[in-house]
Amino acid sequence: LTNHLRPLSEISHFGKEVVGVDLAQATLSASSSISNEIKSAVYEYGLLIFRNQHHLTPQDEMNFANMFTHQPDDVNQSYTGGAGTQHRLPDYPSIALVGTYRVKNFHGLTAGSTGVYN
């Protein structure tokens, strides 16, 4: 993963951008080498940004999130910091949409939110 990390700032060690890694293609089991490298980088830099991952499916997102969980079953454990209405995906109740959005049949969800501050 080291070859895929770029600094976010020239003056700060905090955070890195990860380039050239497709999270949908990566083997993200809790013990895979790429998972261990990602977790180590998160702990070392505090923040990782993975751009252009808009193609990820809910299952890909769950695979990524499961790298960091210690819960055997975290269904309905999404937490958005009190960000108002939490619309959850029907087949993936741990995934909640946050912010301002209007979706129609987005992985089985049709909903809208004006966000917290509107």
Side-chain angles (χ1 to χ4, degrees):
L1 192 63
T2 303
N3 296 333
H4 296 280
L5 298 175
R6 290 188 187 154
L8 294 177
S9 167
E10 293 180 19
I11 60 172
S12 174
H13 180 70
F14 180 77
K16 295 285 184 183
E17 178 181 4
V18 181
V19 294
V21 174
D22 181 350
L23 292 175
Q25 300 300 316
T27 303
L28 297 177
S29 69
S31 61
S32 73
S33 65
I34 189 71
S35 294
N36 290 331
E37 291 179 57
I38 289 171
K39 287 186 276 190
S40 292
V42 166
Y43 295 129
E44 182 174 352
Y45 302 110
L47 170 74
L48 296 180
I49 296 177
F50 295 85
R51 297 187 195 275
N52 301 318
Q53 302 290 318
H54 54 275
H55 61 285
L56 295 179
T57 66
Q59 186 59 57
D60 294 332
E61 292 181 25
M62 290 301 302
N63 291 343
F64 182 77
N66 284 335
M67 290 187 333
F68 300 97
T69 186
H70 301 287
Q71 303 295 324
D73 180 16
D74 68 347
V75 173
N76 291 318
Q77 296 299 316
S78 64
Y79 176 69
T80 58
T85 302
Q86 293 185 18
H87 292 111
R88 299 168 188 261
L89 298 185
D91 293 334
Y92 298 89
S94 292
I95 299 177
L97 277 63
V98 179
T100 302
Y101 57 86
R102 184 166 311 287
V103 294
K104 184 174 183 180
N105 198 22
F106 178 74
H107 300 282
L109 175 67
T110 298
S113 173
T114 58
V116 177
Y117 303 106
N118 292 337

